[in-house]
Amino acid sequence: MVRLAVPDIIGIFTRGGYDVIAHPTQAVGDATKVVLENGEDVDAVVCGGGDGTFDEVLNGVMVACPDIKVGYIPCGSTNDFARSLAIATDPIEAAQDIVVGDVYQCDAGKFNNRYFSYVAAFGMFTNVSYETDQNLKNTLGHLAYLIEAGRQMFNIPSYHLMVDIDGVKVEGNYTVGMVTNSRLVGGMKNITGTNVDMNDGLLEVTLVRTPTNPVDMHNIIAELTNSDTQLGSHIMVDKFKGRRIAIEAPDNIAWTLDGEYGDTVRNVLITDCNKVLNLFLNRRKPVKLVNPSDAVN
């Protein structure tokens, strides 16, 4: 666990020429608060935690010090963002890679006035991460998410939406929607597409129509997992890429941002912020990417 590795991690940064200020987060939002208070006075911010903790750091960085370099030592249950960029899951290796000093300019998403690193989502299963008991996650890891998801299997929500993706408009009843900058969501590969570039100025949009029978469910699985599924509207899944995504609904919808509760709203404007995140990423070593065909550009 990363807590046991903290002395070694601090030693790595100290030998790398940094004076280290360590702050164990105490509550939700604490990481954002610390960055807002100290971001302008340091050379880099390093986050050790899961996707939600990294989301808090991102929101602090974008407000207080958008040009600062950011390091990520992933130690959550899923780590979709880190795995999409082949960031080392071993905390010692991740710290060593940060000290190398290479920087990757990564896109971020903006959800109304908040930022997210890799996913804004609504609907079925998207609340699993923040509704799963933290003690259960600590004990069972990814299995805890599956247990919570199983509880929701027979409660399929439906939302009527009007969606505008860079002028392309679609309307319908949807049970799940995701706007992503990631090669994985919920630990699953390819559902956002197979040609995902995380600094191309585009977000991936995946909208799953509400199923009404077993055939619909079969089509959803096939269209989500088929690597040959093209952009556009299909039988049950609509897939697009865009820089500006406007979503309108007649009723409030609860959204998840990077696996944590985001907001409950009717109208949403999601935009891509191209290359705004200066992320430490060791470019000098061969990496095993999520998919053999993927490349970190």
Side-chain angles (χ1 to χ4, degrees):
M1 296 180 65
V2 73
R3 286 183 303 222
L4 301 177
V6 167
D8 292 328
I9 292 171
I10 292 175
I12 290 169
F13 290 135
T14 301
R15 290 189 294 275
Y18 291 98
D19 292 326
V20 180
I21 303 170
H23 178 88
T25 56
Q26 302 300 304
V28 174
D30 196 23
T32 300
K33 179 182 177 183
V34 169
V35 175
L36 290 175
E37 292 176 349
N38 301 281
E40 293 183 346
D41 301 322
V42 298
D43 296 313
V45 175
V46 176
C47 164
D51 292 326
T53 306
F54 187 80
D55 175 272
E56 291 189 13
V57 169
L58 172 67
N59 275 276
V61 164
M62 289 297 102
V63 173
C65 45
D67 295 327
I68 202 169
K69 296 174 183 177
V70 179
Y72 186 23
I73 299 175
C75 52
S77 300
T78 305
N79 300 318
D80 286 324
F81 180 71
R83 290 178 61 200
S84 293
L85 289 168
I87 295 174
T89 56
D90 176 78
I92 300 298
E93 184 180 355
Q96 291 169 336
D97 288 343
I98 290 169
V99 171
V100 168
D102 294 345
V103 173
Y104 172 74
Q105 291 183 302
C106 189
D107 290 1
K110 192 171 185 181
F111 177 97
N112 288 341
N113 294 316
R114 275 193 59 182
Y115 294 91
F116 62 94
S117 63
Y118 80 100
V119 61
F122 69 87
M124 190 175 182
F125 302 140
T126 59
N127 61 340
V128 164
S129 179
Y130 66 80
E131 289 195 356
T132 302
D133 180 79
Q134 184 62 50
N135 292 327
L136 195 63
K137 287 193 281 188
N138 292 341
T139 303
L140 300 179
H142 196 67
L143 179 60
Y145 293 111
L146 299 180
I147 293 172
E148 178 62 31
R151 296 173 181 170
Q152 301 185 19
M153 280 295 294
F154 302 101
N155 183 24
I156 299 177
S158 182
Y159 309 94
H160 188 83
L161 303 180
M162 293 169 285
V163 186
D164 184 318
I165 308 103
D166 291 343
V168 176
K169 297 181 180 181
V170 294
E171 183 176 355
N173 295 321
Y174 297 95
T175 190
V176 177
M178 299 182 295
V179 180
T180 58
N181 187 45
S182 179
R183 297 181 173 97
L184 299 96
V185 174
M188 295 181 288
K189 305 174 185 177
N190 296 335
I191 62 172
T192 62
T194 55
N195 297 308
V196 177
D197 184 343
M198 295 176 66
N199 66 356
D200 62 355
L202 297 173
L203 297 169
E204 282 67 40
V205 182
T206 306
L207 300 169
V208 179
R209 294 186 179 272
T210 306
T212 59
N213 55 63
V215 174
D216 287 345
M217 292 298 297
H218 171 80
N219 287 328
I220 288 172
I221 295 170
E223 291 173 18
L224 282 176
T225 59
N226 186 352
S227 60
D228 294 327
T229 300
Q230 301 296 311
L231 297 179
S233 295
H234 301 278
I235 298 173
M236 294 301 296
V237 178
D238 299 340
K239 288 192 173 187
F240 302 92
K241 288 178 181 281
R243 292 178 172 82
R244 181 185 185 278
I245 300 96
I247 300 175
E248 298 180 11
D251 301 302
N252 285 336
I253 297 177
W255 284 78
T256 299
L257 302 180
D258 293 335
E260 302 296 331
Y261 174 74
D263 199 359
T264 299
V265 291
R266 289 178 55 192
N267 299 329
V268 175
L269 177 62
I270 301 174
T271 54
D272 180 90
C273 304
N274 187 218
K275 298 183 178 181
V276 295
L277 177 61
N278 295 305
L279 185 68
F280 283 116
L281 195 66
N282 188 350
R283 316 297 296 278
R284 310 179 197 185
K285 70 175 186 179
V287 294
K288 183 178 180 182
L289 298 173
V290 171
N291 295 310
S293 60
D294 287 340
V296 179
N297 298 314

